[in-house]
């Protein structure tokens, strides 16, 4: 399917192994191998030795050795290193895009115009943010003392990133942590390690000290759990499903670690009856199908006020059938495969079960012909599903949009909040009062108005409720990766203080 010149030769590039420890590539020592598969063709592209507990130990040790000097560097020194890092990533942009498309099946136009530029911008943002880690300014909050607040790095951070945005999620984990003076051990998903390894290579080329950024690629049950529970790790940051996040939390809290969780989502897309219908239709298709729907903020539940309900369904269905599935390396391709055949079958299972209680308007099948060997699934629109049904409540993580009608505004807001999740949402209306109400009352970490999906480095990303806690990106992320220390100076030089008399003696 791919043109030979467009392929990324992973087996040659990472012949020395899929671990990056102390500034050097190495092979895993678990005794087991894993094969990265191109989901568009089913072809093997990279077979490597998985990390075991010993590799995690080595990576944590390397990060621990690097921590004192990196934490002691000035904000300006860390900023300069991150500026160089951003430049190296920019120089490697096309190679990063090709590797990401190969391992994930993402269309090359998505990786070149979204994943890679977003990562470069994130590096540039944190290069600047590294110089803005101030605590509260000094002051006499007690008449006899001067106080101020220090923000200090935590130590070694152990991060686990998912397979849907391997490069961007590596950046979201690594950049705020190291900008704040921490060192890091990143475990990418074993399905998609290539760009995380390239990210670590770029850090070395940019001159970051050995051990500041480490990568161990292994199974979650072995390398992942060992990293989370490691006594040398001071903080765990995890992005993935809510179910796995609960397991991560159990292990991390048993060792009293700082914990940051970005978990699942089931984003509502609320269309009021005065919305621009064309804008809502286009926004729904883009928001539902980005990255083949494998996005925790993707539009998955469209609640449409009844006057627009049927027209919205018709418009979305008409637009979905124009979406071009195909070779991810073809610039004309709109949507690639899902990440694996197993995941494609999981998504198909949701749709098959939904046929028993809802209407499949379009899609609902894997394409045949030239795409039959890949993990492709057609854009799917489902209508008339009950609010308590699986297709409405569960995270599908595929190109599936469910549309449900509502009558009154109160009902639309109530339905939007009627899942365990709270990561992202959008509301569509020309009425400023309706949209402001939606931003107040929809329980989600991000609420877009008359758009769905855009993210920017300056603004925080993170959820409510079962979608986790803590923020990626933005200056708010430093709250995750720094410790707050209150420093208090006595200003009196008096040995016998009045407050001592509350403990012993008389005034």
């Amino acid at each position: 399917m791919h043109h030979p010149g467009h392929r990324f030769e992973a087996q040659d590039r990472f012949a020395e192994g899929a671990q990056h420890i102390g500034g050097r590539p190495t092979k895993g020592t678990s005794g087991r191998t894993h094969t990265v598969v191109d989901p568009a063709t089913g072809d093997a592209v990279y077979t490597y030795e998985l990390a075991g507990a010993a590799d995690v130990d080595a990576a944590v040790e390397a990060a621990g050795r690097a921590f004192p000097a990196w934490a002691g560097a000035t904000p300006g020194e860390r900023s300069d290193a991150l500026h160089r890092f951003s430049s190296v990533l920019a120089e490697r942009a096309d190679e990063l895009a090709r590797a990401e498309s190969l391992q994930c099946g993402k269309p090359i136009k998505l990786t070149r115009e979204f994943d890679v530029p977003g990562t470069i911008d994130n590096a540039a943002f944190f290069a600047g943010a590294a110089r803005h880690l101030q605590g509260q300014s000094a002051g006499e909050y007690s008449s006899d003392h001067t106080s101020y607040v220090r923000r200090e790095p935590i130590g070694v951070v152990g991060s686990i990133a998912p397979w849907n945005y391997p490069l961007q999620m590596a950046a979201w984990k690594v950049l705020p942590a190291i900008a704040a003076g921490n060192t890091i051990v990143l475990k990418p998903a074993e399905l998609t390690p290539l760009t995380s390894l390239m990210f670590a290579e770029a850090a070395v080329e940019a001159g970051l000290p050995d051990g500041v950024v480490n990568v161990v690629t292994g199974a979650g049950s072995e390398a992942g759990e060992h990293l989370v529970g490691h006594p040398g790790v001071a903080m765990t940051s995890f992005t993935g499903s809510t179910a796995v996040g609960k397991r991560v939390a159990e292990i991390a809290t048993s060792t009293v670690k700082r914990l940051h969780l970005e978990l699942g989502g089931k984003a509502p897309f609320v269309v009021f009856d005065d919305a621009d219908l064309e804008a809502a239709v286009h926004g729904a298709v883009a928001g539902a199908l980005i990255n083949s729907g494998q996005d925790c903020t993707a539009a998955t539940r469209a609640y449409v006020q009844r006057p627009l309900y049927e027209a919205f369904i018709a418009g979305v269905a008409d637009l979905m059938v124009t979406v071009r599935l195909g070779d991810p390396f073809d610039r004309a391709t709109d949507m690639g495969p899902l990440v694996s055949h197993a995941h494609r079958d999981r998504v198909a299972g949701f749709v098959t079960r939904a046929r028993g209680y809802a209407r499949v308007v379009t899609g609902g099948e894997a394409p045949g012909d030239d795409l039959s060997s890949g993990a492709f699934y057609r854009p799917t629109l489902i209508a008339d599903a009950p609010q308590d049904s699986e297709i409405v409540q569960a995270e599908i993580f595929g190109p599936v949009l469910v549309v449900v009608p509502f009558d009154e505004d109160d009902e639309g807001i109530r339905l939007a909040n009627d899942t365990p999740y709270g990561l992202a949402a959008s509301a569509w209306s020309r009425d400023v009062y309706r949209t402001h109400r939606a931003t107040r009352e929809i329980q989600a970490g991000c609420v877009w108005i008359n758009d769905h999906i855009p993210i920017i480095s300056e603004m925080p990303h993170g959820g409510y409720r079962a979608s986790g806690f803590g923020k990626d990106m933005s200056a708010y992320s430093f709250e995750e990766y720094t410790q707050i220390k209150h420093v208090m100076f006595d200003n009196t030089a008096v040995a016998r203080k009045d407050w001592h008399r509350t403990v012993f003696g008389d005034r």
Side-chain angles (χ1 to χ4, degrees):
M1 177 184 285
H2 304 322
H3 303 295
H6 290 168
R7 289 183 66 85
F8 177 85
E9 299 298 336
Q11 200 67 55
D12 294 338
R13 177 62 178 276
F14 301 116
E16 294 181 75
Q19 321 305 322
H20 191 96
I21 299 172
R24 295 165 183 78
T26 185
K27 296 183 185 295
T29 62
S30 70
R32 295 181 294 110
T33 61
H34 184 81
T35 297
V36 177
V37 174
D38 176 355
T41 63
D43 295 339
V45 298
Y46 181 52
T47 299
Y48 65 94
E49 296 82 3
L50 287 162
D55 304 300
V56 173
D57 291 342
V60 173
E61 182 181 355
R65 287 196 305 270
F67 174 70
W70 183 247
T74 67
E77 289 167 340
R78 291 199 294 267
S79 176
D80 288 347
L82 286 170
H83 277 299
R84 295 193 301 270
F85 195 4
S86 178
S87 296
V88 173
L89 292 170
E91 292 166 3
R92 298 184 175 190
D94 187 64
E95 184 183 44
L96 286 163
R98 288 187 289 112
E100 196 80 329
S101 289
L102 180 65
Q103 68 180 350
C104 300
K106 295 171 184 276
I108 193 71
K109 67 179 181 180
L110 182 67
T111 58
R112 283 178 173 160
E113 298 174 27
F114 182 74
D115 296 67
V116 174
T119 301
I120 296 167
D121 181 72
N122 212 230
F125 171 81
F126 280 107
R131 305 190 81 143
H132 297 278
L133 277 167
Q134 299 94 338
Q136 199 169 8
S137 59
E140 285 69 47
Y141 300 97
S142 154
S143 58
D144 293 338
H145 304 85
T146 295
S147 290
Y148 67 86
V149 171
R150 292 176 55 90
R151 298 181 74 106
E152 298 180 345
I154 296 169
V156 176
V157 178
S159 289
I160 299 176
W163 49 257
N164 57 330
Y165 289 101
L167 178 61
Q168 288 208 67
M169 294 297 102
W172 288 14
K173 298 296 182 195
V174 171
L175 293 169
I178 65 174
N182 303 283
T183 56
I184 194 164
V185 179
L186 173 74
K187 193 201 86 67
E190 58 267 38
L191 288 174
T192 54
L194 305 183
T195 47
S196 294
L197 294 170
M198 295 170 72
F199 194 75
E201 287 179 346
V204 171
E205 185 175 332
L208 272 74
D210 292 348
V212 171
V213 178
N214 306 274
V215 175
V216 289
T217 309
S221 59
E222 184 175 357
E225 292 202 2
H226 191 62
L227 178 62
V228 174
H230 200 290
V233 170
M235 173 183 171
T236 293
S237 176
F238 171 81
T239 297
S241 71
T242 298
V244 177
K246 291 177 180 178
R247 174 62 179 158
V248 168
E250 290 174 359
I251 299 170
T253 53
S254 70
T255 56
V256 199
K257 286 179 170 58
R258 176 79 66 90
L259 183 60
H260 171 212
L261 298 175
E262 199 266 90
L263 306 178
K266 189 71 176 176
F269 185 102
V270 183
V271 182
F272 295 102
D273 57 14
D274 67 332
D276 181 325
L277 180 61
E278 182 183 17
V281 165
H282 281 258
V285 173
L289 301 185
I290 187 172
N291 201 34
S292 300
Q294 298 166 129
D295 186 311
C296 50
T297 62
T300 58
R301 299 178 288 140
Y303 295 105
V304 183
Q305 207 151 22
R306 208 169 293 274
L308 295 184
Y309 182 65
E310 292 298 341
F312 179 87
I313 290 172
V316 169
D318 288 346
L319 197 53
M320 275 188 170
V321 297
T322 70
V323 173
R324 298 164 295 187
L325 277 65
D327 181 355
F329 288 87
D330 185 337
R331 288 284 304 179
T333 293
D334 295 321
M335 195 176 94
L338 298 180
V339 74
S340 68
H341 289 78
H343 185 59
R344 189 269 312 276
D345 294 345
R346 176 184 175 275
V347 170
F350 278 102
V351 177
T352 297
R353 292 188 293 275
R355 291 183 188 277
Y357 55 79
R359 171 167 53 114
V360 177
V361 179
T362 190
E365 62 182 3
D369 303 326
D370 295 342
L371 303 181
S372 59
S373 61
F376 292 89
Y377 197 75
R378 292 194 186 282
T380 299
L381 179 63
I382 294 175
D384 306 334
Q387 174 65 16
D388 62 355
S389 62
E390 177 190 52
I391 204 78
V392 173
Q393 293 291 324
E395 187 174 31
I396 301 168
F397 228 56
V400 179
L401 176 65
V402 183
V403 188
V404 176
F406 70 93
D407 292 302
E408 301 300 323
D409 288 15
D410 287 352
E411 181 187 13
I413 299 291
R414 178 181 62 78
L415 292 172
N417 289 329
D418 186 28
T419 73
Y421 301 105
L423 187 58
S426 65
W428 298 73
S429 171
R430 293 183 173 95
D431 186 327
V432 67
Y433 297 101
R434 272 177 155 171
T435 57
H436 274 290
R437 180 189 179 189
T439 64
R440 290 193 308 271
E441 297 186 15
I442 292 177
Q443 297 167 13
C446 175
V447 180
W448 293 286
I449 299 300
N450 296 323
D451 207 346
H452 195 105
I453 284 296
I455 55 174
I456 51 176
S457 296
E458 289 84 355
M459 288 293 110
H461 174 86
Y464 289 18
R465 302 186 296 169
S467 291
F469 48 81
K471 300 300 178 185
D472 289 313
M473 300 195 299
S474 81
Y476 291 97
S477 65
F478 286 131
E479 295 177 7
E480 312 302 318
Y481 294 102
T482 56
Q483 301 188 93
I484 304 301
K485 178 184 288 183
H486 170 213
V487 179
M488 196 175 207
F489 287 87
D490 171 60
N491 293 332
T492 67
V494 172
R496 296 172 56 86
K497 296 180 170 61
D498 282 349
W499 79 264
H500 294 172
R501 306 288 76 80
T502 65
V503 181
F504 65 93
D506 299 319
R507 291 185 189 275

